Amino acid sequence: MSLPSEQLSLSFRQAFRYYPSGVAVLTATGHEGPVALTISSLISVNASPPLVAFSLSSASRSAAELLQADTLVIHFLSQKNRALATLCAVGGTDRFGDGVEWERLSTGEPRYTEVKTWFRALVQNRLSVEGATLVTAEILEDCVVSPTSDEDALVYLNRQWHGVISDDEAPEGASRQPAPLLGEWRFWP
């Protein structure tokens, strides 16, 4: 069945609005200093060599700066990093100002020190598509800290940040609605 393009676009947005995605922040050194952006498009491509891919919107000034960088840092956010996710998602904010804990790696890239798991990556390819650029990057350096429990995960779903926890760890009084597509996992705001 073929839908008119406007209806197809609405259906597409609706489907992806309810498709949970991990949350990451990208940082790099731009022409005017450090730059950061929250993304939910990060995917693993290959384990050996370790490669990732993500997309950056053509409408974002921060994305334009990130696209100029040869190397960047990919921060995997946990629930404890919700404020950082919001900071780097809202345009016009000072993402490296007073009260924001960050440092420069020995190779020069900015890194948020509150984030436990991160990768430094070398951009391999940039592919311009309608409204965005797809980027692939090879992982060069890592700092991976195993989460203490499943509640550390942060996902983006229905335009909100959510934690992922098992039914056994659900907050007292939380609604235990069936989630047939999610198996035993539930998303809690």
Side-chain angles (χ1 to χ4, degrees):
M1 177 173 112
S2 180
L3 297 172
S5 64
E6 184 177 314
Q7 178 60 43
L8 184 58
S9 179
L10 288 172
S11 297
F12 182 86
R13 288 184 199 150
Q14 180 71 12
F16 274 92
R17 188 174 185 174
Y18 292 97
Y19 184 77
S21 303
V23 182
V25 165
L26 302 178
T27 59
T29 299
H31 294 296
E32 298 178 20
V35 62
L37 183 67
T38 301
I39 63 168
S40 60
S41 61
L42 182 69
I43 61 169
S44 63
V45 175
N46 195 26
S48 185
L51 298 171
V52 296
F54 52 88
S55 65
L56 297 173
S57 170
S58 300
S60 167
R61 246 184 71 220
S62 296
E65 285 286 308
L66 284 164
L67 286 170
Q68 300 304 311
D70 292 326
T71 58
L72 46 86
V73 177
I74 304 163
H75 303 75
F76 285 67
L77 302 190
S78 71
Q79 288 190 65
K80 295 174 185 172
N81 307 124
R82 282 183 190 223
L84 182 62
T86 301
L87 176 70
C88 296
V90 176
T93 59
D94 186 355
R95 297 168 182 170
F96 296 91
D98 292 338
V100 180
E101 295 182 22
W102 67 283
E103 66 182 7
R104 286 204 182 268
L105 298 177
S106 62
T107 49
E109 299 88 354
R111 182 185 79 80
Y112 290 113
T113 56
E114 74 176 77
V115 179
K116 294 179 183 177
T117 298
W118 56 271
F119 293 114
R120 187 171 71 87
L122 175 66
V123 173
Q124 297 290 309
N125 297 291
R126 297 170 185 88
L127 174 65
S128 293
V129 295
E130 186 70 32
T133 300
L134 298 175
V135 178
T136 60
E138 182 177 358
I139 302 304
L140 302 174
E141 179 182 351
D142 71 337
C143 178
V144 177
V145 176
S146 296
T148 55
S149 72
D150 293 321
E151 70 182 300
D152 280 346
L154 183 65
V155 296
Y156 188 68
L157 174 76
N158 192 19
R159 298 179 174 251
Q160 294 180 5
W161 314 120
H162 295 270
V164 180
I165 58 175
S166 70
D167 278 346
D168 296 337
E169 299 173 84
E172 190 171 321
S175 171
R176 294 184 184 267
Q177 310 256 331
L181 297 177
L182 301 176
E184 66 176 293
W185 296 100
R186 306 289 191 268
F187 297 91
W188 305 102

